[in-house]
Amino acid sequence: MRINIYHRHFNNKLMKRIFSLLFIFAAVALQAQTFRLEFKPVAGTEYPVNMEVIQDMTIKVPAMGDMTTHTEQKIGAILTLVEEVEKGYLMETRLTRFTVNTSAQGQSQNFDSEGEDVVSQAIKTITEKPFRLVISRQGEVVEMLPLDTAFFTRADETLATQYAKRKRETTMTQLKALFSESTLKNVAQAGLTKFPDKDLKVPSVWTDDTPSDELGAIITTQYRVDNYADNKVTLMAKMVLMSNPNAKKPEGPQRMENIAGGGEATNIVDAVSGWVIETKGKQNVSGQLVIEQGGQSQSLDLTMVISTVITR
């Protein structure tokens, strides 16, 4: 009896040791497994991206105190492969939704492709117009093809049914700013991650620098491979924003300067296609808003808190 008890005790300890070793070997095998991430679209397949961004921007105005603007964006798009080109892939993109709601000091302004007013109808005509861009195999939008000359024509014609000339022109200026080439590129880039041209494994690390003329800053992002299983890769991203003195000054009376900040995000990527499955992130930014008018310039301190969720 004592021998049997000893054997059972020994076998139990042995089984626990074996299971422990199996987990250890599995973890070692996972870390040793190498893979390469690339954007690899397939003809006839749709690549959807849905982006939700919530931003609170607070500006310190002399003699008035803090003024906070709350903005919510919901933008969707579908990308399809046109053909493979030298720089990567020529993709056709069509917006499926475009909603921007802004509120500040008790006032609000809404732009919604799903609304029923005349501005919404005009926005819908824009979302129905496809545009094309080139995406590299490393997952970066490297070229935006010129928009069709009629990209905004139907929107202008729609507004003309209810708006006088001056109001129509003002609204069209707003719509062209909302649907700028920079915005359209960013929507497509939201479904992508910039991959390094090398083999990866858990826990590989790489860094990407992206200049932003809109912010007057350079965004440095460090990616770390956190997990790789079932053709899904989890990437942890840490971002640092630093002012870029060489940034091209945007047109218009307002610009941002002395931008600094950072943030974190978690990306889940389809390892087969290189397309983003889900991204959740948050950034905190501070700097100055410079306003030039009548030959005079004024700098106002600002802070921004930005939350982003991207799904397909």
Side-chain angles (χ1 to χ4, degrees):
M1 180 68 68
R2 190 172 297 175
I3 293 176
N4 289 336
I5 293 174
Y6 173 78
H7 277 297
R8 284 200 299 270
H9 179 68
F10 176 78
N11 288 338
N12 288 338
K13 290 187 66 176
L14 181 61
M15 291 303 294
K16 290 180 180 178
R17 179 65 59 83
I18 290 173
F19 278 118
S20 297
L21 290 174
L22 286 174
F23 284 121
I24 292 172
F25 289 144
V28 171
L30 179 63
Q31 293 194 19
Q33 186 177 8
T34 62
F35 53 92
R36 183 175 285 257
L37 290 175
E38 291 183 351
F39 177 53
K40 294 177 286 188
V42 176
T45 300
E46 293 185 340
Y47 297 90
V49 56
N50 294 283
M51 179 172 59
E52 296 187 16
V53 181
I54 298 176
Q55 174 183 293
D56 287 303
M57 180 172 68
T58 301
I59 301 174
K60 294 184 179 296
V61 181
M64 295 182 65
D66 293 351
M67 295 181 63
T68 299
T69 301
H70 178 80
T71 303
E72 296 186 8
Q73 302 179 24
K74 293 183 179 180
I75 304 175
I78 292 177
L79 284 72
T80 53
L81 174 65
V82 177
E83 61 179 347
E84 188 170 358
V85 295
E86 183 179 354
K87 294 181 180 180
Y89 303 96
L90 178 63
M91 306 292 293
E92 183 167 274
T93 306
R94 187 184 301 272
L95 296 173
T96 57
R97 180 177 183 179
F98 196 96
T99 301
V100 178
N101 298 325
T102 302
S103 59
Q105 307 303 110
Q107 298 182 337
S108 63
Q109 189 171 28
N110 303 319
F111 297 92
D112 189 356
S113 62
E114 298 185 352
E116 298 180 357
D117 62 298
V118 67
V119 176
S120 297
Q121 294 172 22
I123 291 173
K124 193 169 184 179
T125 67
I126 298 173
T127 62
E128 291 172 350
K129 283 283 186 183
F131 56 95
R132 293 186 172 187
L133 36 77
V134 177
I135 299 175
S136 72
R137 293 168 181 82
Q138 273 64 57
E140 181 180 5
V141 178
V142 293
E143 184 181 351
M144 176 87 179
L145 274 64
L147 295 175
D148 190 307
T149 53
F151 194 76
F152 294 102
T153 300
R154 286 184 58 203
D156 190 42
E157 293 172 348
T158 300
L159 293 175
T161 62
Q162 296 187 31
Y163 282 2
K165 181 180 179 180
R166 179 171 293 182
K167 187 173 183 180
R168 187 179 84 241
E169 291 176 346
T170 300
T171 305
M172 281 304 304
T173 299
Q174 292 176 318
L175 293 182
K176 288 180 180 180
L178 286 173
F179 290 90
S180 66
E181 290 191 12
S182 175
T183 297
L184 298 178
K185 285 178 64 175
N186 288 338
V187 172
Q189 188 66 57
L192 300 159
T193 300
K194 296 180 183 180
F195 303 126
D197 188 14
K198 65 178 183 180
D199 290 337
L200 301 171
K201 63 181 180 179
V202 179
S204 291
V205 175
W206 74 93
T207 301
D208 173 75
D209 291 329
T210 302
S212 171
D213 290 335
E214 293 87 352
L215 293 174
I218 294 178
I219 304 171
T220 299
T221 305
Q222 183 187 76
Y223 294 96
R224 176 173 59 83
V225 180
D226 189 62
N227 188 39
Y228 174 50
D230 301 325
N231 286 326
K232 295 179 182 178
V233 180
T234 301
L235 305 175
M236 310 303 292
K238 290 187 176 181
M239 292 150 281
V240 176
L241 285 78
M242 295 181 293
S243 181
N244 180 13
N246 298 319
K248 179 182 177 182
K249 290 185 179 181
E251 297 180 1
Q254 298 183 3
R255 67 178 183 274
M256 294 184 183
E257 292 185 351
N258 301 318
I259 291 296
E264 296 183 350
T266 301
N267 302 346
I268 302 176
V269 179
D270 186 324
V272 176
S273 66
W275 194 247
V276 167
I277 297 173
E278 181 182 78
T279 295
K280 292 183 178 180
K282 187 173 183 178
Q283 297 85 41
N284 291 276
V285 179
S286 62
Q288 279 81 44
L289 176 66
V290 179
I291 303 173
E292 294 182 345
Q293 191 172 11
Q296 296 184 338
S297 178
Q298 183 179 21
S299 295
L300 305 175
D301 291 338
L302 68 81
T303 57
M304 291 188 291
V305 180
I306 308 164
S307 298
T308 306
V309 176
I310 299 169
T311 57
R312 65 179 184 181

